[in-house]
Amino acid sequence: MPAIELTNPAALPADWRDILALTKPRVMYLVVFTGLCGMLVAPTMPPVVLGFTAILCIALGAGACGALNQWYEADIDAKMRRTAKRPLPAGRMDRQSALHFGVGLGIFSVLLMGLATNWLAAALLAASILFYVIIYTVWLKPRTAQNIVIGGAAGAFPPLIGWVAATGHMNALPLLLFAIIFLWTPPHFWALSLFVRSDYAAAGIPMLPVVAGIPNTRRQIFIYSLPMAAAAVAPWLLGLTGRIYGGCAAVLSFVFLVLAGRVLANRATDPAEMAPEKKLFAYSVFYLFALFAVLVADRWLTA
Amino acid sequence: MKLEEEVVRRQRERARITAWLLGAFVVLLFFITIAKTGINW
């Protein structure tokens, strides 16, 4: 298709690909996966269609968070290389459309969750969307280096929502799953923020490496990895899961601590020499996927 | 490509996707209702 030259691309109706990009589909995988695992480890299973709808609602809620985040941070995104090509900073879409889409998707996901499963799950989904948008994006992120520590709670909701959607009530295990993701978020994001530090500095976001320096961030990564590893093996130690999960969680967490230790020992300040940080970031994604996959395997194999 | 043509193309594409999504939603609502009322086929 020949390219069209436009002086004001936002005057066009947004392309559906840009609307889809607003929902940050790549971030959604982990949210959907942990939500699904939360549901699969619950003692009771809802009918397939209701389970599917619950997971769909979690995905739509995450999409709403992504859209509202991009609506609010369009100016900041324009200053960072990593985000400058998103639909809003690139001028392919107007901000009001993004706001309407995000609010509409959020309300729709909560109502559908309430109608299909139960209103406690819907309330938790609403809380996670509001927490991510208001507490994290609007309040914490531009103000404090602890943004990720507290804001991490928003990403920790999905397994809790999945469990509650299946059972209608809360329990110790989903709360521990919440704790694992909550404690996993700081080392995961700080590892990333170490090697994209200049981007955050240019955008004026007070991420820990920008405010407290690189050595301090490396120390914090290691410190936070310790309670995270403890939370990961806690379900087994408390007798909530079997030995399969306990053994795998111990090994996976040990490797995480070793990689966090290598980050701690690294002295480089040039992103090109931050191989341990990049390795930890990549491993942290695998770690969470593997931990939750093993949790489900343990539940279904030992049931 | 003229601007008007691009506008019409995008509007058509969005209308088609919206129609598919609405159709899928109606089907989903039907199955949710069946599941909630506990009807066994």
Side-chain angles (χ1 to χ4, degrees):
Chain A
M1 184 191 298
I4 49 167
E5 282 192 25
L6 299 167
T7 49
N8 180 17
L12 275 171
D15 192 274
W16 68 269
R17 293 171 196 84
D18 288 330
I19 297 174
L20 183 67
L22 269 189
T23 62
K24 299 189 184 176
R26 280 196 292 176
V27 178
M28 220 184 264
Y29 293 131
L30 206 57
V31 170
V32 167
F33 182 72
T34 54
L36 179 65
C37 290
M39 182 179 285
L40 290 176
V41 295
T44 53
M45 282 298 293
V48 174
V49 68
L50 300 186
F52 168 79
T53 308
I55 299 304
L56 178 70
C57 289
I58 291 174
L60 295 179
C65 288
L68 291 170
N69 174 274
Q70 289 190 49
W71 160 74
Y72 188 76
E73 293 187 342
D75 298 336
I76 298 170
D77 283 348
K79 294 176 190 163
M80 298 202 288
R81 251 178 314 163
R82 193 169 60 88
T83 53
K85 286 179 184 165
R86 285 176 177 174
L88 294 180
R92 297 195 304 275
M93 199 172 171
D94 68 293
R95 284 181 82 164
Q96 206 178 23
S97 300
L99 174 64
H100 292 167
F101 175 70
V103 171
L105 196 62
I107 293 172
F108 176 76
S109 66
V110 171
L111 289 178
L112 186 60
M113 178 70 96
L115 288 169
T117 61
N118 57 72
W119 290 101
L120 179 57
L124 284 169
L125 183 62
S128 71
I129 295 170
L130 291 173
F131 192 95
Y132 183 81
V133 176
I134 297 172
I135 308 285
Y136 173 66
T137 304
V138 176
W139 186 38
L140 293 171
K141 195 173 174 184
R143 283 179 179 78
T144 167
Q146 297 301 309
N147 48 19
I148 282 303
V149 178
I150 308 164
F157 273 99
L160 197 59
I161 298 170
W163 176 288
V164 172
T167 64
H169 57 81
M170 269 189 245
N171 198 329
L173 183 57
L175 288 172
L176 275 172
L177 300 182
F178 178 94
I180 291 168
I181 302 180
F182 180 67
L183 293 165
W184 165 89
T185 308
H188 166 75
F189 268 104
W190 284 335
L192 168 75
S193 65
L194 275 170
F195 56 87
V196 294
R197 179 172 166 265
S198 57
D199 260 10
Y200 284 116
I205 298 173
M207 290 300 279
L208 197 63
V210 179
V211 177
I214 293 174
N216 194 23
T217 305
R218 286 183 171 133
R219 221 171 7 255
Q220 294 294 325
I221 286 175
F222 189 77
I223 291 169
Y224 271 85
S225 301
L226 295 170
M228 182 212 69
V233 292
W236 172 53
L237 295 176
L238 293 171
L240 300 168
T241 61
R243 270 179 286 179
I244 299 172
Y245 172 80
C248 292
V251 172
L252 287 165
S253 300
F254 177 75
V255 175
F256 196 110
L257 288 175
V258 169
L259 293 176
R262 284 186 188 163
V263 167
L264 183 65
N266 192 13
R267 293 282 172 269
T269 53
D270 181 2
E273 293 169 18
M274 289 189 181
E277 285 78 2
K278 288 171 187 168
K279 207 171 271 181
L280 178 66
F281 177 72
Y283 179 76
S284 67
V285 177
F286 165 77
Y287 173 81
L288 206 64
F289 267 109
L291 202 66
F292 276 76
V294 167
L295 184 75
V296 174
D298 180 273
R299 154 83 173 78
W300 287 86
L301 292 174
T302 56
Chain B
M1 185 187 281
K2 284 182 187 168
L3 180 62
E4 298 92 72
E5 283 176 31
E6 177 64 9
V7 169
V8 170
R9 187 190 69 79
R10 289 191 182 188
Q11 280 174 337
R12 279 197 182 148
E13 210 169 46
R14 280 173 59 165
R16 199 177 298 129
I17 291 169
T18 308
W20 275 108
L21 289 176
L22 278 174
F25 178 59
V26 170
V27 174
L28 182 65
L29 270 187
F30 169 74
F31 282 111
I32 288 172
T33 309
I34 298 293
K36 292 290 268 188
T37 49
I39 297 169
N40 289 315
W41 294 88

